[in-house]
Amino acid sequence: MANIIDEDDDRLIDAEDSSSDDEQQQEEEAEQSLSLPSVPGSGKRKIKKSEMKRNKLITIQPGLIRLSGLPYGFFERELYSYFSQFGPVTRLKLIRSKKTGGTRGYAYIEFEDEDVARIAAETMNGYLMFRSLIKSRVMDRTKVDTEKLFKNWKRLFTVKTPQQKRALHNRVKSNEQIEKSNQRRTTKLLKQQQRLAAAGIKYELTDFIPLKAMKKEDEKNVSSSEKKNEQVANKSTKKKIVKT
């Protein structure tokens, strides 16, 4: 399914680590680490003794940038080699497609120093590379779950075979997993229902599962409330008859 990606959206677009199913499958597979090339000058930042004496305490905050419009062939190794010229790169994540494993054209890079990340973002914003215009910006780390974003960032992404997909789909699920999947489906269907209502389209999605179960529960709640109201009304009428 094609997704429209907004370049100004700060939400995490989780391609590989979004579902627990993928995590279980990755744990079962053999771990393959990504061996990044050694770049001269990409080690840790060295602080001079004179600078330490002058400032007494130096705190270096990491910086995170988001790149979009990356050309084909600009993969993890190339990103690490290219952006290491600005400063030490601690982590990077190139977003790939689940089905094909191909790059989706955007990535996240974390630098050791926030100032270096800002310089790299300003330098690469609007940079033309192989007929592709790259856009980059510094992201607010307080609004991004970096541990989730860079989880297993050294592991090479592998496309699942049809046999692995069938085994993953047909596996026995627990009640908790079924409830979570139903909740995800209900939230998606409710959002679609709101969009249809906002567009003026009268079409109910309550016949689909699991919204059908929710509809039955609502009907039960309405019937129970109606019965309670009838009982209260009958009691009041009986009291009036006894008083007369």
Side-chain angles (χ1 to χ4, degrees), residues 1-238:
M1 184 175 68
N3 294 328
I4 299 174
I5 301 169
D6 188 4
E7 294 180 352
D8 295 330
D9 194 359
D10 288 339
R11 293 176 298 177
L12 295 179
I13 306 173
D14 133 28
E16 293 86 24
D17 302 327
S18 58
S19 62
S20 59
D21 299 342
D22 296 336
E23 292 177 359
Q24 293 178 359
Q25 185 66 21
Q26 288 179 355
E27 289 177 358
E28 292 176 0
E29 294 177 354
E31 293 186 358
Q32 296 179 345
S33 60
L34 176 66
S35 59
L36 296 174
S38 60
V39 180
S42 63
K44 294 184 178 180
R45 178 182 175 184
K46 295 181 180 180
I47 302 172
K48 297 180 180 179
K49 291 183 179 180
S50 59
E51 189 177 357
M52 292 178 67
K53 288 179 181 179
R54 193 182 308 114
N55 297 327
K56 292 184 180 180
L57 182 63
I58 299 173
T59 57
I60 300 174
Q61 297 293 334
L64 179 65
I65 66 172
R66 183 184 188 273
L67 298 165
S68 60
L70 296 174
Y72 182 80
F74 213 40
F75 302 139
E76 288 87 354
R77 297 172 187 271
E78 289 77 12
L79 284 169
Y80 184 82
S81 300
Y82 186 84
F83 282 92
S84 293
Q85 65 181 328
F86 296 99
V89 176
T90 54
R91 294 180 293 183
L92 63 89
K93 184 65 173 291
L94 178 65
I95 307 302
R96 293 178 175 272
S97 173
K98 290 182 182 179
K99 295 182 180 180
T100 62
T103 176
R104 298 181 68 180
Y106 62 100
Y108 298 90
I109 301 178
E110 184 185 54
F111 290 91
E112 187 180 6
D113 195 348
E114 187 177 4
D115 295 335
V116 175
R118 190 176 293 107
I119 293 169
E122 292 175 357
T123 305
M124 295 304 298
N125 189 24
Y127 189 82
L128 184 63
M129 181 180 290
F130 298 108
R131 298 182 181 179
S132 180
L133 191 65
I134 296 176
K135 293 183 180 181
S136 62
R137 58 189 174 90
V138 180
M139 299 189 66
D140 189 2
R141 289 176 59 85
T142 59
K143 297 181 181 179
V144 178
D145 189 0
T146 55
E147 297 300 326
K148 184 178 179 181
L149 177 62
F150 292 107
K151 186 177 181 180
N152 300 326
W153 67 278
K154 280 191 174 182
R155 182 178 295 175
L156 290 173
F157 181 75
T158 56
V159 181
K160 296 181 181 65
T161 61
Q163 291 81 6
Q164 291 174 345
K165 291 180 181 179
R166 283 196 295 269
L168 184 64
H169 181 75
N170 296 327
R171 76 185 190 283
V172 179
K173 297 181 181 180
S174 62
N175 294 328
E176 295 180 356
Q177 291 176 345
I178 294 171
E179 289 178 359
K180 287 182 180 179
S181 63
N182 288 337
Q183 288 177 0
R184 287 195 296 268
R185 292 178 64 188
T186 49
T187 52
K188 288 181 181 179
L189 290 173
L190 289 173
K191 286 180 180 179
Q192 290 178 0
Q193 185 72 56
Q194 292 175 358
R195 291 174 183 173
L196 291 174
I201 300 173
K202 295 181 179 180
Y203 185 76
E204 293 186 357
L205 298 172
T206 54
D207 294 333
F208 295 95
I209 299 172
L211 287 180
K212 193 172 183 180
M214 292 177 62
K215 186 178 179 181
K216 289 182 180 178
E217 289 180 358
D218 293 337
E219 291 176 354
K220 288 180 181 179
N221 294 329
V222 171
S223 61
S224 62
S225 61
E226 290 177 354
K227 287 181 181 179
K228 288 181 181 179
N229 293 331
E230 289 178 358
Q231 291 176 358
V232 172
N234 292 330
K235 287 181 181 179
S236 61
T237 53
K238 286 180 181 179

